[in-house]
Amino acid sequence: MSAPLPHEPFPMEDQLALHGIVQRGLGEQRVPGVVAGVWIPGRGAWVQAAGIGDLRTAAPIGRDDHFRIASISKTFVATVMLQLVDEGKVSLDERLDRFVPGVPNGEQITIRQLLGMTAGIFNYIGDAAFEQAYTSDPLMPFARETIVEILQRHEPDFA
């Protein structure tokens, strides 16, 4: 059961326009399904699930389905890190090895470099063994130690 929207819904005309945008986007982007939402304080809210959520069964996608957000999580992590910097709990010039020991060059890599994506850390999903395991089971558990082991097998990438 979907949770109620936190605001009043948009007028029907706006909802239909948003629905049309989502339907066109599904076709243009060639994706099987999407959950989209728009919230404008004082104006309205709208959430729609459209398309297929499970390619094996062709079950429809739902508003409450779970999604892998991948690199979008970087935005959330960066926001929290900058909040911690603002609160004086961490410095942008602190070194990575204080928080994650064992990362190659971790004693030289700063939080600033991590947030700016200029630290040169190998992209662990590019590791052939990890990629094969993850492709076989996207829900596979893995620990920070697993990632550090992968990083230790690869040269830094400062491209």
Side-chain angles (χ1 to χ4, degrees):
M1 187 77 177
S2 294
L5 292 173
H7 305 285
E8 291 295 317
F10 282 106
M12 188 54 66
E13 180 180 304
D14 292 342
Q15 291 184 48
L16 290 171
L18 292 166
H19 175 78
I21 292 168
V22 167
Q23 293 304 314
R24 281 191 305 279
L26 273 173
E28 291 171 3
Q29 298 298 314
R30 302 182 71 206
V31 296
V34 64
V35 175
V38 178
W39 297 266
I40 301 176
R43 196 138 167 246
W46 173 85
V47 177
Q48 178 188 5
I52 297 170
D54 187 330
L55 295 176
R56 291 172 293 179
T57 66
I61 201 163
R63 280 182 40 184
D64 294 331
D65 286 355
H66 293 91
F67 300 90
R68 178 179 176 269
I69 63 171
S71 288
I72 293 172
S73 63
K74 292 175 189 171
T75 304
F76 302 122
V77 171
T79 299
V80 171
M81 287 303 300
L82 292 174
Q83 288 172 335
L84 292 171
V85 168
D86 192 47
E87 294 170 8
K89 295 180 179 175
V90 68
S91 163
L92 289 175
D93 296 318
E94 287 192 69
R95 307 300 175 173
L96 175 60
D97 66 338
R98 173 179 171 215
F99 306 98
V100 186
V103 173
N105 298 327
E107 69 284 348
Q108 298 169 343
I109 296 170
T110 66
I111 300 300
R112 182 184 317 276
Q113 289 171 312
L114 287 171
L115 293 176
M117 298 181 64
T118 60
I121 295 174
F122 176 78
N123 186 354
Y124 67 88
I125 61 174
D127 179 78
F130 182 86
E131 183 178 14
Q132 193 281 324
Y134 183 76
T135 301
S136 297
D137 179 12
L139 300 177
M140 70 178 221
F142 58 94
R144 176 178 65 183
E145 293 77 20
T146 304
I147 304 303
V148 171
E149 289 171 12
I150 293 170
L151 298 179
Q152 291 172 345
R153 293 195 303 259
H154 295 276
E155 292 293 318
D157 180 13
F158 294 103

